[in-house]
Amino acid sequence: MSQNEWSPESWKTKKIVQDVVYEDQDKLNKVLGKLKRLPPLVSEAEIRRLRKQLAEVAENKRFLLQGGDCAELFDYCSQDQIESKLKVLLQMSLILTWGGRTSVVRIARMAGQYAKPRSKPTEMIDGKEYHAFRGDNVNGIDLEDRVPDPERLLGAYFHSAATNNYVRLLLAGGFADLHHPDSWNLDSWDLAHVRNPKIRNEYQGIVDRLHDALDFMKTIGADDESQDSISTVDMFMSHEGLLLDYEQQFTQQGSDKKYYNLGTHFLWIGDRTRQLDGAHVEYFRGLANPVGVKVGPSMDPEELVRVLDILDPNFETGKITLITRYGHDKIQKHLPGHIQAVKKSNHKVVWCCDPMHGNTETVNSVKTRRFDNIAEELGKAFRIHLQNDSSLGGVHFELTGDHVTEAIGGSMELSADDLSTNYQTFCDPRLNYEQSLDIAFSIAKYFQDQRSPIRLG
């Protein structure tokens, strides 16, 4: 095979990292064969629709909201869990739509985000070596379930299918309808958790103006329930494309002769798997799906351009989303150089800020993140893009719709002592429901201030 030829399995000719070694290869091959025969989870038309919307994000005509769990568990495939995540993403998008006066593209980290990269394949526990937990689609958290099991790949497929189906059912049934009482009723948005009176008044002012806008739409008949823009929304699914044996089984040629991964709408390459000569970049370069690339302090500007040249050789607007994750104390050093390098390359990308991954720390032996550091990195991202004649097109969060206590701060003013109250994550700490809305309100206020005729500086 020549260097430029590509097939869904050409990645096997490259060096791979974060690979899973299975003890029973025959069992693995049977599972992969079964996955190959199963129906796709998303459609080619849906992927093309997302491509079109992300192109508009790259042209500063829309804004991207991407969020969900660090890594899903199969147990998260339940009615309450799915509804709570969908609800918080919908509410955040409504706030962002109002604040930015722009349409929001919604991508959930759901229905496939079951794998997690690890720094080492094994770990020592009580003096004994075990396989590291790699996510529910590889092995189990319990020590007796640590041997990688190919059957879990089938479990990933069926849990993804069930999640996708229920999300589609909810959206088709009016869950995202502006008239839906549980999702959109602004009277039910209790801001009592906001302890600072000034911040509570700011949030309440936004909610009141949203309420007035919806009342006005109702008065003039603009909220006609027969209109799709009022009764439903697009909600696209995404996950990190980590296990290439699994991803390959969903990769097939579409009606336009391009290759699509029909296991999800959007995949991204992680910071640990973006080697220029590696298997993951090789696999991703052949996909027609929109793809993301995590960009951190370790990526040189020249390397970033080379990644873009490989993944986006035709310079397609919005094909690549650059998900930056530096840390609040490192973003000023690295982001300007990355922006300038991309501008000179003529690649038209979506710039998306992930203020979560670079701000993880350990407090009292518990992994956590500080809300103030998350907000600081996000604020700096907006300002740095503005200073470099660029636009931040989206945000990427690890969040949940549940009332967990995993991140310090926010309008609830959670302290380190509060972490043990309801610390649920088995992976990285997430923003809870209230903190997620805090972020959305903050972004809305930023957009509002940018529109103000008396804005200074």
Side-chain angles (χ1 to χ4, degrees):
M1 179 179 291
S2 70
Q3 185 174 358
N4 291 325
E5 287 181 346
W6 185 91
S7 75
E9 60 180 18
S10 60
W11 61 269
K12 294 181 178 180
T13 66
K14 305 288 185 176
K15 182 180 178 181
I16 189 167
V17 296
Q18 297 292 326
D19 196 20
V20 177
V21 178
Y22 294 95
E23 295 179 356
D24 190 336
Q25 285 295 312
D26 289 338
K27 185 178 181 181
L28 173 63
N29 291 333
K30 289 179 181 178
V31 166
L32 295 178
K34 173 68 173 176
L35 288 170
K36 187 73 173 178
R37 295 189 297 272
L38 288 167
L41 296 173
V42 304
S43 74
E44 176 187 335
E46 290 171 338
I47 294 171
R48 284 201 297 267
R49 187 160 71 247
L50 176 58
R51 279 285 303 270
K52 180 176 183 296
Q53 292 184 18
L54 288 174
E56 292 174 352
V57 173
E59 294 170 342
N60 207 24
K61 297 176 182 177
R62 291 177 182 257
F63 192 77
L64 169 64
L65 171 64
Q66 186 172 13
D69 289 298
C70 167
E72 294 175 279
L73 291 176
F74 291 164
D75 285 346
Y76 293 174
C77 183
S78 67
Q79 179 177 346
D80 289 344
Q81 288 268 5
I82 294 170
E83 288 182 6
S84 66
K85 289 188 188 72
L86 201 58
K87 179 178 177 180
V88 71
L89 288 171
L90 290 173
Q91 290 185 346
M92 291 177 73
S93 68
L94 179 61
I95 295 169
L96 295 177
T97 296
W98 179 87
R101 300 297 195 268
T102 187
S103 297
V104 172
V105 180
R106 305 162 187 86
I107 302 180
R109 289 173 59 118
M110 288 175 67
Q113 181 58 13
Y114 297 116
K116 54 179 294 186
R118 297 301 298 263
S119 55
K120 297 180 180 179
T122 62
E123 59 184 343
M124 298 298 295
I125 300 176
D126 296 330
K128 185 176 180 180
E129 188 175 27
Y130 293 89
H131 290 277
F133 176 57
R134 298 287 301 275
D136 256 1
N137 60 354
V138 176
N139 55 4
I141 297 177
D142 294 338
L143 296 181
E144 62 268 24
D145 294 329
R146 289 297 183 89
V147 176
D149 182 0
E151 289 289 337
R152 285 180 170 269
L153 296 175
L154 286 174
Y157 171 87
F158 288 113
H159 284 88
S160 297
T163 300
N164 261 313
N165 286 343
Y166 190 52
V167 170
R168 294 178 197 276
L169 183 153
L170 287 171
L171 296 180
F175 191 81
D177 193 326
L178 284 174
H179 303 86
H180 195 283
D182 294 330
S183 298
W184 300 118
N185 184 3
L186 301 182
D187 291 329
S188 68
W189 287 19
D190 184 4
L191 299 177
H193 68 276
V194 184
R195 296 187 179 182
N196 186 308
K198 181 181 178 181
I199 295 176
R200 187 187 307 123
N201 288 335
E202 289 179 353
Y203 289 2
Q204 190 62 55
I206 292 175
V207 171
D208 289 344
R209 289 191 289 276
L210 270 169
H211 211 303
D212 289 344
L214 293 177
D215 281 347
F216 177 73
M217 290 171 61
K218 183 177 181 180
T219 300
I220 66 173
D223 67 339
D224 183 354
E225 296 187 32
S226 66
Q227 301 298 315
D228 284 346
S229 60
I230 298 295
S231 61
T232 190
V233 299
D234 285 324
M235 183 67 71
F236 300 101
M237 299 296 140
S238 69
H239 64 257
E240 180 178 356
L242 195 60
L243 304 183
L244 297 185
D245 271 324
Y246 179 82
E247 303 300 343
Q248 178 188 328
Q249 310 315 312
F250 302 102
T251 309
Q252 54 186 267
Q253 208 165 21
S255 59
D256 56 2
K257 305 303 180 184
K258 298 178 181 179
Y259 280 91
Y260 294 85
N261 182 315
L262 299 180
T264 192
H265 300 107
F266 179 100
L267 299 106
W268 71 85
I269 303 176
D271 200 44
R272 295 174 175 170
T273 54
R274 54 171 172 75
Q275 295 79 12
L276 293 172
D277 58 352
H280 288 81
V281 169
E282 170 64 21
Y283 172 74
F284 272 72
R285 78 177 178 91
L287 296 181
N289 301 61
V291 299
V293 179
K294 287 292 187 85
V295 180
S298 63
M299 182 178 278
D300 293 328
E302 296 79 9
E303 180 188 4
L304 175 55
V305 173
R306 291 178 66 191
V307 170
L308 290 174
D309 288 342
I310 295 171
L311 298 179
D312 180 35
N314 298 320
F315 297 88
E316 299 174 66
T317 300
K319 168 67 188 295
I320 307 298
T321 296
L322 296 180
I323 307 169
T324 61
R325 30 96 73 219
Y326 305 104
H328 71 104
D329 55 345
K330 297 182 178 69
I331 183 171
Q332 186 66 56
K333 179 179 179 181
H334 298 283
L335 179 56
H338 287 153
I339 292 174
Q340 291 304 320
V342 173
K343 287 181 70 173
K344 292 176 184 176
S345 76
N346 292 320
H347 288 282
K348 190 72 172 178
V349 304
V350 172
W351 286 100
C352 181
C353 176
D354 167 6
M356 306 293 292
H357 282 88
N359 293 303
T360 307
E361 59 182 281
T362 300
V363 177
N364 298 334
S365 301
V366 177
K367 185 189 290 189
T368 188
R369 289 160 173 159
R370 296 182 188 274
F371 183 89
D372 287 350
N373 292 343
I374 293 168
E376 181 183 344
E377 179 167 355
L378 182 57
K380 286 181 177 178
F382 274 112
R383 289 191 293 274
I384 291 169
H385 276 283
L386 199 60
Q387 292 163 359
N388 286 271
D389 193 27
S390 177
S391 295
L392 180 63
V395 287
H396 183 119
F397 299 110
E398 290 183 340
L399 56 80
T400 176
D402 299 327
H403 303 286
V404 300
T405 53
E406 298 169 1
I408 296 171
S411 62
M412 299 177 71
E413 299 180 0
L414 292 179
S415 69
D417 292 337
D418 294 319
L419 294 176
S420 61
T421 303
N422 192 25
Y423 194 94
Q424 295 290 328
T425 185
F426 69 95
C427 187
D428 287 339
R430 304 160 294 178
L431 298 175
N432 63 22
Y433 172 77
E434 291 83 5
Q435 291 165 331
S436 299
L437 292 187
D438 287 342
I439 284 287
F441 280 125
S442 297
I443 298 172
K445 188 174 186 304
Y446 169 82
F447 285 142
Q448 184 181 11
D449 291 344
Q450 289 296 108
R451 292 196 307 273
S452 173
I454 60 172
R455 178 171 57 89
L456 300 177

